[in-house]
Amino acid sequence: MGNAYKIAVLAGDAIGPEIMAQAVRVFDLLHTHRDHAFDLIEAPFGAHAYFSHGQSFPEETQAICDSADAILKGPVGLSFEDSQKIPPEEQAERGAILPLRARYQTFANFRPIYLSPDMAHFSPLKPEIIKDGIDILLIRELVGGLYFGPKERGVNAEGLRYVHETLAYDEAQIRRVLKVAFEQAQARSCRLHNIHKSNVLMSSLLWNEVLDEVREDFPSVEVIPMLVDAAATAMCLNPGQFDVMVMENMFGDILSDQGGGILGSLGLMPSACVGPDKAYYEPSHGSAPDIAGQNIANPYSMIGSVAMLLEMSCGLKEESELVWQAMKSVFEAGYTTADLKGGGSSANTVTTDVFGDLVIEKLDALLKA
Ligand code: NAD
């Protein structure tokens, strides 16, 4: 008898249910071949939850997530126009995503930016820049900084509308995410790019001060400091220089989407959001309302999030590696999804469902072997 896991499944909005439908098929195969039992409990979350329950993160969903071993979350949110039908405090980020992160204090966000040599042609960067692929682990602080600080909006004494948002961190918040980043760097190539903006921001001065303390416990790790604006350029001109990168919340939000850009699509960006007691797993991208309902979304980011969940919340490292291998082999066989423009002939461009079929077929064979 294998192990038993309770997984909260939040399919999300727009393309969320389309890519989630493919991702959860992995659990059935692991049950069949490895006898692991996955109790998948679906729960409403996001814009559709607001329309059906009056809340984007309803109480019943909170209870399901509280009792789960891990949470698998699809992207949430609507188009800019449709979002206006929801009050600002219940819109995707403010009403669902940030409260989920705060509830489980998922402070360490792992965002792999990865292209195998055989997938390198998906990148819009020139072959001489990409060389034999990209392999970056971007670690973003996820529950502090500008996104979580106190906010205020009003009209000032001169009658002008104003807004005031606060970028706040304390040293404990900084230390815990840096420690995770150093551990990852130590386990990989012993190189850590520290992305900051200490020439302008006081918060980066404190960040760097704490980093100097944390690094004493990791003498084998070389730290390479880089200003965030310079890092944005360097990711395009020479991504091969990066291995592990660490940064505060907003820098990570922006640079990780740039990561999707240098890969060729946000659809290649899974992620893990890890807290002290619980983690949740989601694609780094949004709900892509522009392509919803067409069966053309790339489910790699969602299936990759399952691979990360298997390794990080269930300890199933071998099974996780087989999921990655299955997805890579589908691309290596010449298949692509519609978002990967550089991906070869249109004859091999497959739908969301067919990409899922191909991955499941390959994974089935790998698990049997
Ligand atoms: P987006 O990430 O949804 O889309 C940006 C572009 O990438 C679009 O052209 C889209 O078609 C494409 N894309 C994204 N994922 C793809 C995939 N798997 N396959 C193929 N193409 C893909 O960003 P947006 O349009 O700015 O935001 C849409 C909604 O998502 C908004 O409501 C936003 O608030 C929300 N959002 C949610 C999350 C989350 O759930 N974690 C993150 C970011 C944005």
Side-chain angles (χ1 to χ4, degrees), residues 61-74:
T61 303
Q62 294 173 18
I64 289 169
C65 292
D66 286 352
S67 66
D69 296 307
I71 301 159
L72 184 64
K73 175 196 157 292

Side-chain angles (χ1 to χ4, degrees), residues 12-15 19 45 47 73-80 83 91-93 97 101 111 140 253 257 265-269 271 280 282-292 296-302 337-340 352:
D13 301 311
I15 64 165
I19 56 177
F45 184 79
K73 175 196 157 292
V76 294
L78 301 176
S79 67
F80 180 76
S83 294
Q91 287 169 9
E93 279 78 2
I97 303 172
R101 292 175 183 167
R111 294 195 158 180
R140 164 188 175 193
D253 188 10
D257 260 37
S265 171
L266 281 170
L268 296 176
M269 291 281 297
S271 86
Y280 85 88
E282 65 170 355
S284 298
H285 57 73
S287 60
D290 54 335
I291 58 165
I296 57 170
N298 186 347
Y300 179 100
S301 54
M302 196 73 246
T337 43
D339 49 321
L340 296 166
T352 311

Side-chain angles (χ1 to χ4, degrees), residues 242-262:
F242 297 109
D243 188 55
V244 180
M245 307 171 79
V246 64
M247 63 204 74
E248 65 92 55
N249 200 344
M250 188 168 74
F251 297 166
D253 188 10
I254 297 168
L255 281 195
S256 60
D257 260 37
Q258 185 167 330
I262 64 172

Side-chain angles (χ1 to χ4, degrees), residues 115-237:
L115 274 184
S116 70
D118 286 319
M119 294 159 69
H121 57 287
F122 292 148
S123 174
L125 302 181
K126 292 177 184 156
E128 59 269 31
I129 290 176
I130 284 293
K131 300 194 177 102
D132 50 1
I134 299 179
D135 190 359
I136 301 171
L137 175 60
L138 187 151
I139 295 186
R140 164 188 175 193
E141 199 291 323
L142 201 60
V143 294
L146 198 53
Y147 293 5
F148 281 85
K151 299 168 198 309
E152 183 185 293
R153 211 192 129 137
V155 179
N156 68 16
E158 289 94 57
L160 298 174
R161 285 170 294 168
Y162 75 91
V163 64
H164 183 195
E165 295 184 288
T166 318
L167 198 174
Y169 272 113
D170 67 37
E171 62 176 299
Q173 286 176 302
I174 297 172
R175 183 169 287 110
R176 63 185 180 177
V177 70
L178 286 175
K179 190 164 171 287
V180 168
F182 271 97
E183 284 163 357
Q184 291 300 314
Q186 189 166 258
R188 288 171 55 118
S189 70
C190 281
R191 282 170 47 250
L192 176 64
H193 274 83
N194 174 40
I195 309 303
H196 66 102
K197 187 74 184 171
S198 66
N199 52 344
V200 175
L201 296 176
M202 292 280 285
S203 53
S204 285
L205 287 174
L206 178 62
W207 178 280
N208 291 350
E209 219 172 279
V210 176
L211 183 138
D212 282 339
E213 292 157 16
V214 176
R215 73 191 294 180
E216 287 178 14
D217 293 332
F218 299 89
S220 63
V221 176
E222 179 196 2
V223 176
I224 303 121
M226 193 176 278
L227 293 173
V228 61
D229 38 351
T233 311
M235 281 176 74
C236 295
L237 296 182

